[in-house]
Amino acid sequence: MGVGDVQFWTSPLTLFALGGLAAVIILAWDWRVSLPALLLIQVGLDQLMVARYGMAPAWAVIHIFILGLSGIILGLSMLQIETEGGAPHLTNWFFRAVLLALLGIGLGFLDVRVRLPLLEESASLLVVWLLLCGVLILALTDRPLHATFGLLLWFIPVQSLAPVILPLPPVVAILGSAQLLVVLACSYLVVAEDSVRAAQVQPITEVVFPVDESPRPVRPSAQPTLVWQAVWARFSRWPLPFKRRA
Amino acid sequence: MITLDLPTFLIGSLLLLAVLTYLVRRWERGVALLAAAVTGGLGLWIWRANLDEPLRQLGFLPVTVDLKGVIQQFGLVLQLQASIQPVVALSLLLAAGAFLLAARVSQGRSFVPFSLGLLVGYLVLSLTVVAPLPPVLMAPLFLVALSAGGIFILQAGRLTATAGPLRTLIPPVLAFPLFLLAAWYIEQIPLNPQDFGPILAGGRLMALGLLLVLAPVPLHGAQPATAQTAPPVVTALLTLLYQLAVLDLLHRTVNAYPFVVDATPLYLWLLGAGVITAAWGGVAAAGATHPGRLWGYAALHDWGLILMALALPGNRGWPLVIFLFTLRAVSLLTGAAGLSQMEEEAGTIALPGLQGVGSRLPWNTAAFLLGVLGLAGFPLSAGFTGHWAALQSVAENDWRLAAVALIASAGVVFGAVRLVRVFFGPLVNRSLPAEQPVSAWTAILALIITASLAVSPQLLEGPVNRILIAFGR
């Protein structure tokens, strides 16, 4: 079963892999991973629509062209800024993994049976999963770069689905133009945001969890004075010293 | 004699003006005044236009405009219809008001040309009568593009936080796929009229989409965040244009597809979303210490009340909504007039820089505060009569909801009173210049308009009735 076969693109393993790519975007939280993953999702979904639901292959080429253009626009913005777009944010990979697990378990436990028009249940579930991953990204960040990935995860399934349920060229053209405009606006914000990240002050009415990174004062009584206290202090922080050394 | 169709004339002239103003954008004041004159003139002309006599000559020019003329481009058919005539005129007049304020205080060199481009986009949205899909179902996709375009003037090249402009994208982006899916279900209805399934599915999708695009809490983030960081006049203009388009979309959807209301609890959703939005706006305003953010939360509270009014049963809802929206526009632009001048003089709209600003800029400070209080429906402010009427109507159905909205408005007033103490306290920035006569007179004019509407709300009776007739209500 090769990539040219209908069975390959409609097999549960392929659908699972496409859903997994969306999870990878959230876990990695790095634009170098996200852009190729988005492209793979677009290619996979388009191939699924072409192979199983009769979408014209020309649409797939156009979708990939639009996403490629979006990637170039975002990439150019990333090259212009000095700091990395994935720099400090409010969540770590473990927290995001827990959220993804909760999302997956929720979908499983609630036995969500969404049937999108003309799609089979497995394909519908994949589309819903991608859309939910997009919403999760939007909920986790206020940064334009990652929010763009969330918005693109919302656009990609719709782009692939639109020619199947509404095979009208103007609709697909307007959809593609809207996607490019959104990416252009977000890439402008990526550049605008970079210069101020260091000086940014979170408004006090927002729910934020500021991290105090200044060195904490040590109480005089807590400082080790005897040899055994120093040894105990060192081992009580295990495995931190060894990790640091590594 | 040249005859032009109205959409061609309107869009062509505004695009031409956008290009012209972009080329000479260095002369900001002149450019803003020119744009205000043109958009204001066009707005009044369309407001007064009688569609029963479609051919109108343009002054002494050898040009005749066909008011009922149609243009067809890119699969779209554009025409001015009586039902959207007030929306088109109001959009133009809102832009004219914003340009007048921008002539006083710069809102960024690209503000006028970009706003004119966006205005053309909103006019195309209103004028579209035929599209590849029914116009109502295509509208959210247009709103995505317009919100994306608006980001450039909201950020205005400022090195400030980008959260506000970014958040403006989220509601329309979340909503548009629901309308596309609904389009498929609507196409299925004629194939089997006895099957209630597609009607139910299409209705639910559109109702949910409408709720998303109305941006109630928790999708409200754009309003306070843009009010905090974006130029005030830009914030006011884009908020009003978007919300006017969304209200028009809701009205057209309910008229074109009555099953959206019949098959779904849309009005119940609107009521719930409205109460939560109004309550959260008030609570957050009470805790906000940033003047721009307080202004944004006050606007959010007011928007919540408009959503509650939309949910009123029978024919009472729309007159109130139109009345409230008109007063909202006056209050927002009055607040923007004051805040933009304060920002211009103090260099910031953060509180430490504005301490004691009332002693140097009394009229503009008063304009800002009256704008905020108008959004809370405080007595003797523009919003008072609208809020009072809306609360009374809501209380007739459930007094507890009206009480929640009333208590929330007290939160906005509390926040405003705290600002009064800071603004009129001891002056910290002694280098702050005194108010210039032009600036003071503009603020006084805004205050007079606000106060006039507060004491004589019947001044709005004619325009509101005109809109209601056009809406067929």
Side-chain angles (χ1 to χ4, degrees):
Chain A
M1 190 168 64
V3 290
D5 295 340
V6 174
Q7 288 87 352
F8 176 82
W9 294 108
T10 54
S11 71
L13 192 64
T14 307
L15 299 186
F16 189 78
L18 290 177
L21 280 172
V24 167
I25 292 172
I26 294 174
L27 288 175
W29 209 258
D30 189 316
W31 68 281
R32 296 173 200 84
V33 176
S34 302
L35 280 177
L38 285 170
L39 196 62
L40 284 175
I41 292 172
Q42 179 81 73
V43 171
L45 265 181
D46 280 343
Q47 288 302 321
L48 173 69
M49 296 298 165
V50 170
R52 187 74 185 85
Y53 301 105
M55 186 176 86
W59 287 126
V61 177
I62 290 171
H63 291 162
I64 292 163
F65 174 74
I66 290 171
L67 193 68
L69 209 55
S70 306
I72 291 171
I73 293 169
L74 271 178
L76 284 175
S77 288
M78 291 309 297
L79 291 176
Q80 283 185 41
I81 63 176
E82 289 176 5
T83 55
E84 192 198 328
H89 45 81
L90 299 173
T91 61
N92 59 15
W93 70 268
F94 181 72
F95 179 67
R96 293 193 295 275
V98 169
L99 287 180
L100 273 173
L102 285 175
L103 199 64
I105 292 168
L107 272 178
F109 264 103
L110 294 174
D111 196 20
V112 178
R113 290 182 183 276
V114 180
R115 285 296 295 272
L116 295 172
L118 304 177
L119 296 195
E120 288 161 348
E121 194 172 341
S122 54
S124 296
L125 195 60
L126 172 65
V127 169
V128 170
W129 170 255
L130 293 176
L131 295 177
L132 286 176
C133 285
V135 174
L136 186 60
I137 294 177
L138 290 175
L140 285 174
T141 187
D142 246 352
R143 296 266 160 81
L145 178 67
H146 293 289
T148 312
F149 298 140
L151 295 171
L152 283 176
L153 261 183
W154 196 259
F155 265 101
I156 287 170
V158 181
Q159 285 269 27
S160 298
L161 191 59
V164 176
I165 61 167
L166 303 165
L168 300 165
V171 174
V172 183
I174 293 172
L175 199 53
S177 309
Q179 180 181 325
L180 282 176
L181 202 53
V182 165
V183 172
L184 195 65
C186 288
S187 62
Y188 166 66
L189 291 181
V190 168
V191 178
E193 181 209 31
D194 178 61
S195 317
V196 290
R197 182 171 293 144
Q200 189 178 13
V201 180
Q202 298 278 2
I204 60 164
T205 50
E206 298 284 24
V207 179
V208 292
F209 304 97
V211 180
D212 184 9
E213 291 179 348
S214 57
R216 293 183 180 180
V218 180
R219 282 183 291 116
S221 58
Q223 290 176 354
T225 50
L226 301 173
V227 176
W228 71 268
Q229 283 177 326
V231 172
W232 170 248
R234 186 175 177 81
F235 278 93
S236 65
R237 293 201 304 270
W238 187 87
L240 208 56
F242 301 102
K243 274 192 175 174
R244 274 186 186 160
R245 199 176 298 148
Chain B
M1 183 71 77
I2 304 165
T3 304
L4 290 173
D5 303 318
L6 179 83
T8 311
F9 168 67
L10 203 57
I11 293 168
S13 57
L14 287 175
L15 282 180
L16 201 64
L17 186 64
V19 172
L20 182 70
T21 52
Y22 186 75
L23 291 174
V24 292
R25 62 189 182 280
R26 276 172 168 272
W27 297 298
E28 289 181 68
R29 182 162 293 177
V31 158
L33 285 173
L34 175 67
V38 173
T39 50
L42 282 173
L44 286 175
W45 185 66
I46 288 180
W47 179 264
R48 290 177 178 173
N50 182 4
L51 292 185
D52 294 332
E53 298 167 10
L55 288 179
R56 292 282 296 267
Q57 192 171 350
L58 279 184
F60 299 106
L61 296 174
V63 177
T64 307
V65 177
D66 182 3
L67 294 178
K68 286 197 166 177
V70 173
I71 60 167
Q72 198 167 351
Q73 281 291 334
F74 311 114
L76 305 175
V77 177
L78 309 184
Q79 188 186 27
L80 180 70
Q81 293 187 327
S83 59
I84 47 104
Q85 190 180 355
V87 176
V88 171
L90 202 54
S91 300
L92 286 162
L93 291 173
L94 285 173
F99 292 148
L100 266 182
L101 294 179
R104 194 183 58 143
V105 178
S106 167
Q107 299 293 296
R109 279 184 182 169
S110 303
F111 168 60
V112 173
F114 269 71
S115 297
L116 285 168
L118 275 179
L119 186 62
V120 168
Y122 278 104
L123 294 183
V124 169
L125 182 64
S126 298
L127 293 170
T128 303
V129 288
V130 176
L133 290 177
V136 163
L137 301 173
M138 290 285 285
L141 200 49
F142 279 108
L143 285 176
V144 171
L146 290 170
S147 299
I151 282 180
F152 295 96
I153 46 174
L154 277 175
Q155 192 65 26
R158 291 182 171 195
L159 300 178
T160 53
T162 54
L166 181 67
R167 289 177 192 171
T168 57
L169 275 176
I170 293 174
V173 168
L174 293 184
F176 84 86
L178 303 178
F179 283 84
L180 295 183
L181 286 175
W184 184 85
Y185 283 108
I186 288 168
E187 280 182 357
Q188 308 306 308
I189 293 172
L191 302 179
N192 188 3
Q194 306 302 323
D195 185 5
F196 197 61
I199 294 175
L200 196 63
R204 279 182 183 163
L205 286 165
M206 276 200 281
L208 188 60
L210 284 171
L211 199 65
L212 289 174
V213 91
L214 284 165
V217 170
L219 296 169
H220 67 287
Q223 270 195 65
T226 48
Q228 182 181 359
T229 56
V233 178
V234 186
T235 304
L237 176 64
L238 291 197
T239 305
L240 289 169
L241 283 179
Y242 175 83
Q243 290 175 344
L244 179 63
V246 168
L247 288 175
D248 180 40
L249 173 66
L250 177 69
H251 175 256
R252 287 160 76 174
T253 307
V254 170
N255 270 3
Y257 305 106
F259 59 81
V260 176
V261 178
D262 300 334
T264 65
L266 175 63
Y267 287 142
L268 195 63
W269 294 354
L270 283 175
L271 186 63
V275 173
I276 294 170
T277 304
W280 177 244
V283 169
T289 54
H290 189 285
R293 212 165 176 82
L294 172 67
W295 185 48
Y297 280 124
L300 185 69
H301 166 76
D302 188 52
W303 184 240
L305 200 63
I306 290 178
L307 295 185
M308 288 168 76
L310 277 171
L312 286 174
N315 283 328
R316 281 183 301 160
W318 278 102
L320 260 178
V321 169
I322 293 162
F323 189 45
L324 279 169
F325 186 81
T326 315
L327 296 174
R328 173 184 179 76
V330 172
S331 294
L332 266 176
L333 287 175
T334 305
L339 195 60
S340 58
Q341 189 63 38
M342 286 154 73
E343 185 183 34
E344 171 80 359
E345 301 297 350
T348 176
I349 50 172
L351 209 50
L354 293 178
Q355 199 158 353
V357 71
S359 60
R360 294 287 166 90
L361 306 167
W363 292 109
N364 281 289
T365 310
F368 170 65
L369 288 168
L370 206 62
V372 170
L373 291 171
L375 293 168
F378 193 73
L380 289 180
S381 69
F384 173 63
T385 42
H387 275 243
W388 189 243
L391 288 175
Q392 275 185 323
S393 298
V394 172
E396 283 175 21
N397 293 322
D398 191 342
W399 67 269
R400 288 167 301 185
L401 300 181
V404 169
L406 193 63
I407 292 168
S409 67
V412 179
V413 174
F414 176 79
V417 169
R418 193 165 53 192
L419 280 192
V420 169
R421 291 185 59 183
V422 177
F423 285 164
F424 290 97
L427 180 67
V428 170
N429 181 8
R430 301 232 162 244
S431 61
L432 204 65
E435 216 161 31
Q436 296 296 312
V438 176
S439 149
W441 278 110
T442 315
I444 290 169
L445 184 67
L447 286 169
I448 289 171
I449 293 171
T450 307
S452 308
L453 290 176
V455 295
S456 307
Q458 62 272 23
L459 289 172
L460 283 179
E461 196 180 333
V464 169
N465 284 338
R466 173 79 196 280
I467 298 172
L468 283 173
I469 291 167
F471 272 26
R473 297 274 163 180

